[in-house]
């Protein structure tokens, strides 16, 4: 328990050291994405190989580089975040589909060629999509510094949800939600975490984002919107955790790595955030374009 606490504090300090300067220098968020993405790619490929799969390392690396090229091109063309996201979906979407076909065609003697093709394309999308959303919101939002406030939701709110889900779960949790994946998680904890996460996101958004980003809509309507976005963050956080857990159980590993003693690897720390960072960008797009 002591080791987990010390590691958790160190991780929080490292995260702050990267993300806090990104308010003034959005390029710091890109550097953080490169570091996190590199570790996650390594851990995920290692996990898949331990389960008998052989994703193409060269195609995964090329796909990640292509995603970075799309981001750089979007920045050079001064595209808005939503335009950059559309470009990413078109380019990387076609690339991941190509991976699913190229490997079965090239490895005609591989009995798992189709699965390996899907694993290759899936790895590219799984790693690059949330990190692209992070960087696009930080660098391509109408005012780059404003994107920082939206991404704070995508990165921090999942931890808020987890903390309250744990507190509610250990207090009144009785009904297990997915015991074969996460034995300790309960319906009560899940609902409690979602509620407090939604309230936290709503309060933060109304007190900070509403003023900073000069939202042109009634604050009550904005509060209702952000409450439900907070619920979405919590739901996506749970799904991200379950998805990573399903892979671990399928390939027969306990953690993705040992970089954070007591907490596992980089993916063990960011599995929920990978599903919630896109929500931060979604909120930014809705707040600035629809209302």
């Amino acid at each position: 328990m002591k080791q987990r606490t010390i590691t958790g504090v160190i991780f929080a300090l490292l995260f702050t050291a990267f993300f806090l300067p990104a308010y003034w220098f959005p390029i710091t968020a890109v550097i953080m994405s490169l570091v996190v993405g590199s570790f996650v790619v390594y851990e995920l490929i290692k996990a898949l190989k331990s389960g008998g799969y052989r994703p193409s390392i060269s195609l995964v690396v090329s796909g990640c580089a292509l995603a970075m090229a799309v981001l750089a091109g979007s920045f050079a063309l001064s595209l808005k975040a939503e335009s950059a996201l559309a470009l990413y979906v078109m380019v990387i979407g076609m690339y991941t589909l190509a991976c699913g076909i190229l490997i079965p065609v090239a490895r005609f003697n591989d009995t798992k060629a189709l699965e390996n093709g899907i694993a290759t394309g899936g790895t590219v999308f799984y790693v690059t999509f949330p990190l692209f959303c992070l960087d696009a919101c930080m660098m391509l939002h109408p005012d780059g510094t404003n994107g920082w406030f939206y991404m704070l939701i995508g990165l921090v709110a999942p931890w808020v949800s987890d903390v309250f889900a744990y507190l509610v779960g250990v207090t009144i949790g009785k009904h297990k939600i997915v015991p074969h994946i996460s034995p300790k998680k309960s319906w009560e904890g899940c609902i409690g975490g979602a509620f407090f996460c939604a309230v936290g996101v709503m309060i933060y958004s109304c007190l900070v984002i509403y003023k900073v980003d000069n939202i042109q809509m009634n604050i009550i309507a904005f509060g209702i919107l952000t409450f439900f976005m907070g619920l979405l963050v919590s739901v996506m956080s749970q799904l991200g955790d379950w998805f990573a857990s399903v892979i671990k159980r399928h390939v027969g590993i306990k953690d993705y790595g040992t970089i954070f003693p007591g907490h596992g690897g980089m993916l063990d720390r960011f599995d929920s955030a990978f599903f919630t960072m896109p929500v931060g960008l979604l909120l930014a797009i809705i707040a600035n374009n629809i209302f």
Side-chain angles (χ1 to χ4, degrees):
M1 188 63 174
K2 182 179 179 181
Q3 184 185 54
R4 283 183 59 86
T5 302
I6 294 174
T7 303
V9 171
I10 293 175
F11 173 78
L13 292 174
L14 288 173
F15 171 78
T16 303
F18 270 105
F19 191 67
L20 185 60
Y23 174 78
W24 299 278
F25 310 102
I27 190 64
T28 308
V30 178
I31 296 174
M32 183 179 75
S33 297
L34 288 172
V35 173
V36 172
S38 297
F39 275 102
V40 170
V41 165
Y42 170 77
E43 292 171 354
L44 194 53
I45 290 178
K46 183 180 178 182
L48 291 171
K49 284 187 173 181
S50 69
Y53 297 95
R54 290 195 304 123
S56 171
I57 297 177
S58 59
L59 287 179
V60 170
V61 173
S62 297
C64 293
L66 182 59
M68 287 302 301
V70 172
L71 178 68
S74 299
F75 182 74
L77 295 172
S78 300
L79 297 181
K80 289 186 177 182
E82 54 268 34
S83 298
L85 182 61
L87 182 61
Y88 166 87
V89 171
M90 292 298 295
V91 174
I92 302 302
M94 289 188 291
Y95 185 88
T96 55
L97 290 175
C99 289
I101 298 299
L102 289 176
I103 292 182
V105 170
R107 301 179 184 176
F108 49 88
N109 290 325
D110 184 359
T111 57
K112 285 189 174 182
L114 181 59
E115 291 91 333
N116 290 327
I118 295 173
T120 299
T123 298
V124 172
F125 186 80
Y126 177 66
V127 176
T128 63
F129 177 60
L131 295 177
F132 187 91
C133 289
L134 166 69
D135 296 332
C137 192
M138 292 291 298
M139 298 185 68
L140 306 174
H141 190 63
D143 180 348
T145 57
N146 290 1
W148 187 90
F149 293 96
Y150 288 98
M151 271 304 124
L152 190 63
I153 292 176
L155 287 167
V156 176
W159 299 333
V160 175
S161 176
D162 287 346
V163 168
F164 280 101
Y166 171 78
L167 293 176
V168 174
V170 298
T171 303
I172 61 173
K174 294 181 179 180
H175 303 87
K176 303 301 180 182
I177 185 169
V178 281
H180 58 291
I181 297 176
S182 298
K184 296 181 180 180
K185 295 186 183 298
S186 65
W187 277 106
E188 292 83 357
C190 181
I191 294 172
F195 175 77
F196 284 107
C197 178
V199 171
V201 169
M202 179 183 66
I203 294 175
Y204 165 78
S205 299
C206 290
L207 293 180
V208 179
I209 291 182
Y210 188 81
K211 295 181 179 179
V212 169
D213 216 25
N214 191 28
I215 304 299
Q216 300 299 309
M217 63 182 297
N218 184 281
I219 192 170
I220 296 177
F222 186 66
I224 294 173
L225 167 66
T226 53
F227 178 85
F228 284 102
M229 292 299 288
L231 289 177
L232 179 60
V233 166
S234 184
V235 170
M236 295 305 293
S237 173
Q238 291 285 340
L239 292 178
D241 179 50
W242 295 347
F243 182 75
S245 296
V246 166
I247 294 177
K248 286 192 290 187
R249 278 159 178 71
H250 185 71
V251 300
I253 61 173
K254 183 179 183 294
D255 294 313
Y256 283 102
T258 57
I259 188 174
F260 299 114
H263 290 263
M266 188 69 76
L267 184 52
D268 293 293
R269 288 290 81 208
F270 280 91
D271 52 3
S272 295
F274 266 34
F275 273 54
T276 58
M277 282 188 280
V279 181
L281 177 57
L282 176 62
L283 177 57
I285 292 174
I286 291 176
N288 286 275
N289 291 277
I290 297 180
F291 293 99

